Amino acid sequence: MRAPATRLAYIDGWRVLAILLVFLDHLGANREIGAFYEASPIGFISQYGETGVFIFFFISGYVVSRACLAEVDRSGGFSALAFYARRFFRIVPPLMLYLAFCLPLGAAGLIDFSPENFMSAALYLCNTTAPGVSCNWYVGHTWSLAFEEQFYWLFPVAFAYLELGKAPRPIAAAALLFAAAPFAFTVWWIGKTGFVIAYALFFAGYAAAKHGERVIAASQGCRVPALIAAMVIVFLPRGVVACFGQDEAARAEFIAYYRLLYIAAIPAMVLLSGATGPFRSMLSNRALSYVGRASYSIYLWRQLCNGPVFNDLEAIAELALTAAMVGCCLLLFPLELKLAGYGHALSKRLQARRGAVVSASAIPPAAAAVLE
């Protein structure tokens, strides 16, 4: 029997650290803050925006896998349709609100935002160069959401096959094609290695949810050294890594392949921090946990605050704008919880009907309590 899908507060702490890495990176677009980064010895802290997103990928795979494994343990089955319902009400409404807010701003000429941008982001295609896709700054960050949504389509197929020995065939082909889109239509700065890393981290989350407790138990006695080693791999300054290339192209290639180490290092870092007392206590702070739970909306709206229209603001004004945005997201987060709750309620009804997809009984209370 696996551990129940109770909420892990330290995971929410990692969400905060991940969104902070993205913030520090994109704040560099501001003229004054960017100049500070260039002149400061601590400017390297702006190099880890993509690393923050990779941490999110692992966390997403880990959290949804824990909930689904708990469902199988308690009911003996799994409903793909119910899984899609939960994911829809957690992911789609906040994104649609952000895009709907940007659309009139674009129409008024206040920001560079078009209906094509809206549709590309709404269809989760901004991690591809597929024909007709148009993704500028204000939807550029949805490349990560596109990977997540593509994974969420593929995950029930793989999960049902791995756990129950069968897959929901009606969606299998469509899910595989959707998931393969960023590999076929590769964005240059993501690259095919980025595609591999993203999916490897998602499914590393599944492996961690299924076997993590045993691995952590076996690591007793070497957890702290292993945690430190994982953190060094993940947060080694980009400039140090780049020393291994003779020219700019070679350095970029080496960095791209170096990131493959994240596939093992990020899961080890996150899981071992939860098994190490001081780190777990720090990451489980109640206020930090609340911010982490609201990190999805913060990630969405941050892009607007860091957009070109604000790049010439004084640093203090940019930081004040960012703080105000975070505050608004935290105040509105209870509405997200209500929508997510509706998704869980719909999941129960779908499972009770035992649809044509691989089905199960109602969602167990512990899994329903997790805001995936």
Side-chain angles (χ1 to χ4, degrees), residues 242-312:
C243 291
F244 291 89
Q246 296 180 346
D247 53 46
E248 187 172 346
R251 287 194 291 271
E253 183 178 10
F254 184 86
I255 289 171
Y257 285 107
Y258 176 85
R259 293 181 307 172
L260 292 170
L261 296 176
Y262 289 177
I263 296 170
I266 287 177
M269 179 178 70
V270 174
L271 291 181
L272 291 173
S273 69
T276 307
F279 286 95
R280 187 183 184 101
S281 297
M282 178 184 67
L283 293 167
S284 301
N285 175 274
R286 181 174 297 182
L288 201 65
S289 179
Y290 187 82
V291 175
R293 295 170 72 191
S295 59
Y296 174 47
S297 285
I298 294 172
Y299 179 80
L300 285 173
W301 290 89
R302 168 207 54 77
Q303 196 80 355
L304 183 61
C305 294
N306 298 147
V309 70
F310 298 121
N311 284 352
D312 290 328

Side-chain angles (χ1 to χ4, degrees), residues 9-283:
Y10 82 92
I11 292 293
D12 292 322
W14 271 110
R15 286 189 170 109
V16 175
L17 293 179
I19 196 69
L20 182 60
L21 294 176
V22 178
F23 265 130
L24 291 172
D25 183 357
H26 285 198
L27 281 171
N30 176 271
R31 175 176 50 82
E32 286 193 2
I33 297 175
F36 169 77
Y37 284 163
E38 291 181 6
S40 171
I42 63 169
F44 71 90
I45 62 174
S46 66
Q47 300 175 356
Y48 301 107
E50 189 180 65
T51 304
V53 174
F54 285 144
I55 292 171
F56 273 123
F57 287 163
F58 169 72
I59 289 174
S60 292
Y62 182 56
V63 171
V64 299
S65 296
R66 277 173 53 86
C68 293
L69 286 168
E71 180 180 344
V72 172
D73 278 347
R74 295 193 179 204
S75 68
F78 169 69
S79 170
L81 191 59
F83 173 87
Y84 292 136
R86 295 197 302 273
R87 291 290 81 204
F88 179 90
F89 283 98
R90 179 67 185 104
I91 299 297
V92 175
L95 175 61
M96 291 301 106
L97 177 62
Y98 170 77
L99 296 176
F101 186 86
C102 289
L103 200 57
L105 295 180
L110 297 176
I111 64 173
D112 180 13
F113 191 88
S114 67
E116 291 78 13
N117 299 149
F118 182 102
M119 290 304 301
S120 296
L123 294 174
Y124 298 96
L125 293 172
C126 281
N127 63 341
T128 76
T129 56
V133 172
S134 175
C135 300
N136 65 358
W137 171 267
Y138 293 101
V139 295
H141 60 322
T142 66
W143 74 270
S144 61
L145 306 183
F147 268 119
E148 290 213 27
E149 193 66 18
Q150 290 151 9
F151 167 71
Y152 291 147
W153 273 97
L154 180 63
F155 177 74
V157 176
F159 182 84
Y161 179 78
L162 291 170
E163 293 297 321
L164 303 175
K166 53 184 176 179
R169 293 180 182 177
I171 62 172
L176 285 170
L177 287 174
F178 190 34
F183 190 83
F185 302 98
T186 306
V187 176
W188 69 269
W189 54 269
I190 297 174
K192 296 191 186 301
T193 55
F195 173 91
V196 172
I197 294 166
Y199 274 96
L201 285 170
F202 284 130
F203 282 104
Y206 163 74
K210 189 174 179 68
H211 304 293
E213 292 296 328
R214 289 194 293 272
V215 172
I216 290 173
S219 69
Q220 190 172 10
C222 64
R223 289 174 188 168
V224 173
L227 173 59
I228 293 172
M231 293 179 71
V232 168
I233 291 171
V234 174
F235 295 112
L236 191 67
R238 187 66 57 86
V240 175
V241 179
C243 291
F244 291 89
Q246 296 180 346
D247 53 46
E248 187 172 346
R251 287 194 291 271
E253 183 178 10
F254 184 86
I255 289 171
Y257 285 107
Y258 176 85
R259 293 181 307 172
L260 292 170
L261 296 176
Y262 289 177
I263 296 170
I266 287 177
M269 179 178 70
V270 174
L271 291 181
L272 291 173
S273 69
T276 307
F279 286 95
R280 187 183 184 101
S281 297
M282 178 184 67
L283 293 167

